[in-house]
Amino acid sequence: MSARASHSPLTHQVTLTVLMLAAFALAMVVGFGFYATAQADHVSLERQKIFFANGLKDQIATVEREQESVTVWDDSVTNVKAGNQAWIEENLSVWMYSYYGHNRVYVLDAANHPVHAMREGKVLDPSAYGEDAPALLPTIEKLRTMIAQPPSEGASAGSAKMVAEDLISLGGRPAILSVMPLVPSTDKLTQAPGSEYLHVSIEFINDAVIGKIAEKYLLDGAHLLPLSQPTGSAAIPLVDSRGVILGYIGWNQERPGLTLVRKTAPALIVGLLLAASVLAFLLRRLRRASTELQTSQDQAQYLAFHDTLTGLPNRALFEDRLRRALLRTGQAGHDMGRVALLYLDLDRFKHINDTLGHPAGDELVRQTAARLQHTIREVDTVARLGGDEFALILIDIRDVRAAEDIAERLLEKLQEPFKLIDDQVFVSASIGIALSAEAETDADDLLRKADIALYEAKKNGRGRHQVFAGDMDDILLRKRKVETELRKALDGGTGIGLAYQPVFAANGKTILGAEALIRWGHEVHGALPAAQFIAIAEERGMIGQLGAWVLQEACRFAVRTDLPWLAVNVSPLQLRDAGFAEQVASILADTGLAPQRLQLEITESVLLENSDASRAALAALRQSGVGIVLDDFGTGYSSLSYLRRHAIDKLKIDRSFVRLLDGEGNAAAIVKALIDLAVALEVDVTAEGVETEAQKILLVAMGCRQFQGYFLSPPLEPAQLLGLSGLASPDDAEPSAVRA
């Protein structure tokens, strides 16, 4: 009796302690829940305000973009100045209303007098402009001031879009105002500065416009609130450039925190009820421990040989089955067909993960595994080796054609759309195929061959299959050998160096600068073409190291000379590196070379790619003073918009055009057009590949002032270039020649 009594207080104390701790924990959870709810609602509201503010900016930009489609047009300038009212109505006013929804359009002459007026799709007498003029004039005068200002130093002609915009109030209704000059779209038409006609476009900010913004960000109940109506917390003001509030945008505030609490309340109640039965559950759990331990051992055994995501055999089980299949094939001889190994990889799988998220990527892998299993025979094996890589073991395959047929069926099956969560996506795959030879039992070698074939399939365009061929081994080994030897050359500085081809003025004697050209004198193969080992460096991930070495060597040479500038070629892969601009700045600082004496030559592919990293690198380099040269101009597909956007400092006319100057008649017209384009863009132009006196004379007559080519000078060793015209700096010793 005393024993039971002694245990009762302890049990009571333990029970009370547990209850107090549970109550304290519950109070903490509830308090934190209320705090988290308020914070979540506050953060959500601020995000909603940002959404509407950004949406309004996007709508203003849309109005400007729509207006620009008709203001930058030769026909607009011609017909407006000719007073062609029918054309203006069809193309500049009523069309803007019917197609884009602009509510009012006015066309003003050079003295800001109205020549055309349109409201809500109806053409009015130009005098109707007078009603809106007081609200429009400040923005119109702002644009006139912008037009009258001379272009900033270093900016190319037409590099900035001329537009003045603001939010205004017309008849108590807020509206977006955009004013643009009518300017030519080509060089065929010119107009004197200050004579530009203006196109004034107005779009009222109504519930329809606000609804489009709300629909974009999935917000409900968005509407326009007048100044007289009280606003709640879910509202942002419409403010003009003077800070005057014209109205408000209001919407139904989303409260994710409160919504979450409401939805989870039943679960919390259930959780409290479940907590009461935890002790009993733990006791029962102990009795089941031995059974679960055995189950976990069985599961561990399964997981050791299967992929957890797809349930397919993993690499360990795959390699075991491949060795067994090869062994059976070798023992059966001609009575059994060959083993085919298919190595499959989804194309651009990383893009799916980055855009749709990892859950979508996992679902894609699961669905891919299911399709592969349903496409092959039961006797065959499909395994997941990791990520988006799969391997298939096909037994009793007669020949290569049979393996290719299966690969084609797999590719067709994978081309069908995938349903990933709420998105439908299309993917492709690349497949490498390797067949076992007679009596072959080396599974690792077969897997290596399939991997090489997969690499070739991806390199040749993706979405295809490739059968391993014997020369693939040789090509891969040669590339790896070149890669290894190139690394040694860069580390030791032996066999690799730079030559310099000077760029001359029109007199053929004055050296304006030089271009650094990499040379590699291989100890076995002799002089290797630069294009060959540079391509291998790009493919094998060495271009950053190689490019940094070239920049370092070129800058070291240039700083010891009186060369006005030195040009260095840059790979597009280097520009994609977020740290490239900082690397160039570091090299310039280490060598002491002024940024203005360095020019970086890029290809048109960099402009076409138009990646954020490349665009940021080019902007940072130009801002630091480094010149940007567009090499081999005319051979790619660059548009004038890309040239204006990136503000190139120099164009180099490709040697293929210069070579044809001696014969083909159209070549002279093309080259002249390229030179005129450079003049119009206010950039320098260099003709490369000049090989005859006749070519040089023609180019001089066309206005070209910089020349490069074997007629004037081939690429020279450093000492030869310095000796050509005494370019060595008087404060430095003669630099040594590059080792060949």
Side-chain angles (χ1 to χ4, degrees), residues 196-217:
E196 297 87 346
Y197 279 54
L198 301 185
H199 185 272
V200 180
S201 191
I202 301 167
E203 182 179 80
F204 285 109
I205 302 175
N206 50 31
D207 287 347
V209 172
I210 296 173
K212 288 193 294 183
I213 299 175
E215 183 181 5
K216 179 179 178 181
Y217 296 105

Side-chain angles (χ1 to χ4, degrees), residues 415-451:
Q415 287 176 354
E416 298 175 4
F418 287 85
K419 182 68 174 179
L420 304 181
I421 309 176
D422 295 327
D423 295 285
Q424 180 175 275
V425 300
F426 293 84
V427 300
S428 63
S430 301
I431 301 178
I433 305 173
L435 266 69
S436 64
E438 293 184 4
E440 180 178 7
T441 58
D442 191 345
D444 293 335
D445 187 59
L446 191 63
L447 184 59
R448 182 183 61 83
K449 291 177 179 178
D451 191 17

Side-chain angles (χ1 to χ4, degrees), residues 480-555:
R480 288 176 178 170
K481 185 176 181 181
V482 170
E483 175 191 357
T484 301
E485 293 174 347
L486 183 56
R487 291 187 189 276
K488 291 180 180 179
L490 289 174
D491 293 338
T494 57
I496 193 166
L498 298 180
Y500 301 90
Q501 188 171 26
V503 177
F504 290 86
N507 59 18
K509 297 178 180 179
T510 304
I511 296 179
L512 302 176
E515 178 184 359
L517 302 170
I518 190 168
R519 296 290 185 263
W520 185 15
H522 195 277
E523 58 184 6
V524 176
H525 304 294
L528 292 178
Q532 180 181 3
F533 64 81
I534 288 175
I536 293 176
E538 291 179 332
E539 182 180 319
R540 311 300 293 187
M542 286 183 59
I543 194 62
Q545 180 184 357
L546 180 61
W549 184 90
V550 171
L551 271 172
Q552 188 82 27
E553 289 297 311
C555 291

Side-chain angles (χ1 to χ4, degrees), residues 608-627:
L608 286 174
E609 182 186 74
N610 197 30
S611 69
D612 292 339
S614 300
R615 189 164 55 249
L618 290 175
L621 289 167
R622 292 194 77 250
Q623 187 175 7
S624 70
V626 175

Side-chain angles (χ1 to χ4, degrees), residues 559-594:
V559 82
R560 299 195 301 265
T561 72
D562 289 333
L563 282 170
W565 50 261
L566 185 65
V568 178
N569 290 277
V570 176
S571 167
L573 296 180
Q574 290 176 266
L575 285 170
R576 294 176 196 163
D577 186 351
F580 178 68
E582 289 79 0
Q583 182 187 69
V584 174
S586 176
I587 291 175
L588 290 172
D590 290 343
T591 59
L593 183 67

Side-chain angles (χ1 to χ4, degrees), residues 63 118 318 352 394 398 404 428 438 575 735:
V63 171
M118 183 279 294
F318 158 76
I352 300 293
L394 310 178
R398 298 186 308 276
E404 288 184 303
S428 63
E438 293 184 4
L575 285 170

